[in-house]
Amino acid sequence: MNPTLLSSPLQGLTDFRFRNAFNKYFGGIDVFYAPSIRFNGKREIKPAYERDILLSNNTGVEVIPQIITSDADEFIFAAEYVQKLGYKELNWNLGCPYPMVAKRGMGSGLIKDPGKIDSILHRVHSESSIIVSMKMRLGYEASDEIFQVLPILEKYPVKSIAIHARIGKQLYKGVVDLDSFQKCVDTTGHTVYFNGDITTVGIFNEMVKRFPMIDHWMIGRGIIADPFLPGMIKNNTTEYPENKIELLSKFHQMLFHDYAQALSGPHHVIMKMLQFWEYFATLFPNSRKELKKMKKAKNINAYEDAVRALFNKEKNQ
Ligand SMILES: Cc1cc2nc3c(=O)[nH]c(=O)nc-3n(C[C@H](O)[C@H](O)[C@H](O)COP(=O)(O)O)c2cc1C
């Protein structure tokens, strides 16, 4: 078996800077889904979204752009826009759990409105040649909402349905509902991708055993918490490379450098890096003291000192 591994998008984290640094030092991901393009009432794409998906900023990495919307005109506008940039596929985010989004009938809040999903897909497929793929939860309020949507998706040539088998209301709590995931696979004729809580090679192998019909696996938080994970899954090993800390240090350096160039002022750069450290910290179980120093850092030097101390400690262990 040769699984296809997909990077599940994390807004604010898996942008082109992360993707490029990840690909340079780790690899193992076949396709990266870009975090959602979101509109704010206007029919325009913000420069930050454009920078994120420009092909020139993503050389050597395969990317699929994503949109979050409940409006057919916005969808068609975004489809034309990404096609002009050179993309053939647009992924539709029906998974976002945040109440501010879901209560406005977007993300996982749209799942309970199959009629609207139908009318949007109808217009998109009549007025655009974009290939549509879906990323969904099981529902917002209840895990059976998706079963009203799957029959509608049968009418359209959607490329794939990635399912994060939780409901929106759960946010990221509780466990993934594997029985409902299986039911989705049994219900739809479309290709289903698995998403949710793959954080180790062991868990990945358990999922492969349980769902032998699945060959596309989306990993979100697990890739940031352990950037070696996709490579280790591909090589079916639980052994880290000997130069693990060196690679992590170089990866961190590239991310840090690229954000320092892009963001204004030390505060913003340190805050951005701390977002990553919330995940990286799992790789460094004895890092409490250094992480505290990073959080307290008021300038770049203090932050870099704390990071250096942590990597040196790990190297000497
Ligand atoms: C901070 C954060 C940002 C996210 N942003 C997006 C997003 O822009 N688009 C999307 O489809 N999913 C987004 N997700 C959901 C993840 O892609 C993924 O579906 C979810 O975390 C479950 O997979 P995992 O357990 O492998 O992380 C986000 C999740 C988190 C924690």
Side-chain angles (χ1 to χ4, degrees):
M1 184 213 42
N2 187 15
T4 300
L5 298 185
L6 313 162
S7 158
S8 200
L10 302 188
Q11 195 83 45
L13 293 162
T14 62
D15 67 1
F16 72 99
R17 297 178 187 92
F18 172 86
R19 297 192 292 265
N20 289 325
F22 176 89
N23 219 38
K24 177 160 181 181
Y25 291 107
F26 305 105
I29 287 292
D30 297 289
V31 181
F32 292 82
Y33 286 72
S36 307
I37 294 174
R38 209 169 280 215
F39 292 90
N40 52 0
K42 290 188 215 142
R43 195 92 1 111
E44 65 183 21
I45 308 279
K46 284 198 203 145
Y49 293 132
E50 174 157 305
R51 263 196 305 278
D52 190 41
I53 57 171
L54 276 181
L55 291 185
S56 53
N57 284 336
N58 289 282
T59 47
V61 288
E62 196 177 324
V63 174
I64 294 173
Q66 186 189 63
I67 184 183
I68 184 160
T69 186
S70 57
D71 181 285
D73 290 315
E74 269 181 13
F75 201 131
I76 292 162
F77 175 81
E80 277 170 13
Y81 171 79
V82 299
Q83 280 180 313
K84 265 191 218 132
L85 294 187
Y87 292 99
K88 292 191 167 59
E89 177 180 346
L90 184 57
N91 184 260
W92 193 12
N93 178 345
L94 264 66
C96 183
Y98 296 113
M100 283 231 311
V101 173
K103 294 258 157 27
R104 287 170 50 211
M106 293 199 297
S108 61
L110 186 53
I111 300 172
K112 64 173 175 310
D113 197 347
K116 194 158 194 184
I117 294 171
D118 194 5
S119 73
I120 293 172
L121 286 175
H122 179 74
R123 281 208 45 212
V124 170
H125 285 96
S126 326
E127 297 174 40
S128 162
S129 57
I130 197 78
I131 296 169
V132 177
S133 58
M134 313 285 297
K135 183 167 179 289
M136 313 179 59
R137 289 201 180 212
L138 299 170
Y140 180 69
E141 302 268 354
S143 58
D144 58 2
E145 291 170 21
I146 194 169
F147 297 106
Q148 305 295 317
V149 178
L150 293 176
I152 284 164
L153 300 185
E154 295 295 309
K155 300 202 287 179
Y156 301 100
V158 300
K159 185 181 160 201
S160 53
I161 309 171
I163 299 177
H164 173 201
R166 281 191 169 90
I167 56 169
K169 263 190 137 177
Q170 271 182 284
L171 296 171
Y172 293 91
K173 297 187 199 106
V175 289
V176 182
D177 181 349
L178 298 178
D179 291 337
S180 293
F181 179 80
Q182 178 70 59
K183 210 171 142 197
C184 292
V185 176
D186 296 340
T187 305
T188 179
H190 286 304
T191 304
V192 175
Y193 298 172
F194 181 92
N195 174 229
D197 295 6
I198 296 176
T199 50
T200 65
V201 176
I203 292 173
F204 174 78
N205 286 337
E206 272 174 39
M207 293 303 118
V208 169
K209 231 192 242 165
R210 171 138 185 187
F211 303 113
M213 72 300 281
I214 300 295
D215 59 6
H216 285 67
W217 305 86
M218 270 189 144
I219 311 179
R221 294 164 295 169
I223 291 175
I224 308 185
D226 186 350
F228 295 99
L229 179 63
M232 296 203 304
I233 288 175
K234 285 274 168 91
N235 293 321
N236 197 17
T237 177
T238 50
E239 293 282 317
Y240 285 94
E242 267 177 30
N243 58 347
K244 172 183 172 186
I245 299 299
E246 187 192 331
L247 287 171
L248 283 170
S249 168
K250 285 185 170 164
F251 170 62
H252 170 275
Q253 195 50 37
M254 182 169 166
L255 267 187
F256 180 60
H257 173 268
D258 289 358
Y259 281 115
Q261 299 253 305
L263 300 175
S264 61
H267 177 70
H268 287 122
V269 183
I270 294 170
M271 292 307 286
K272 173 60 74 180
M273 295 313 295
L274 288 177
Q275 264 181 285
F276 284 104
W277 277 105
E278 278 195 27
Y279 294 91
F280 295 160
T282 49
L283 273 181
F284 301 100
N286 304 314
S287 58
R288 258 202 27 224
K289 196 173 103 199
E290 292 80 6
L291 282 173
K292 215 166 153 188
K293 281 192 178 151
M294 284 180 215
K295 283 184 192 149
K296 280 192 170 165
K298 294 262 183 298
N299 55 53
I300 295 289
N301 278 348
Y303 171 79
E304 284 193 301
D305 281 349
V307 172
R308 207 173 301 117
L310 175 58
F311 282 129
N312 282 340
K313 186 163 105 181
E314 293 290 327
K315 257 188 217 153
N316 295 330
Q317 265 178 9

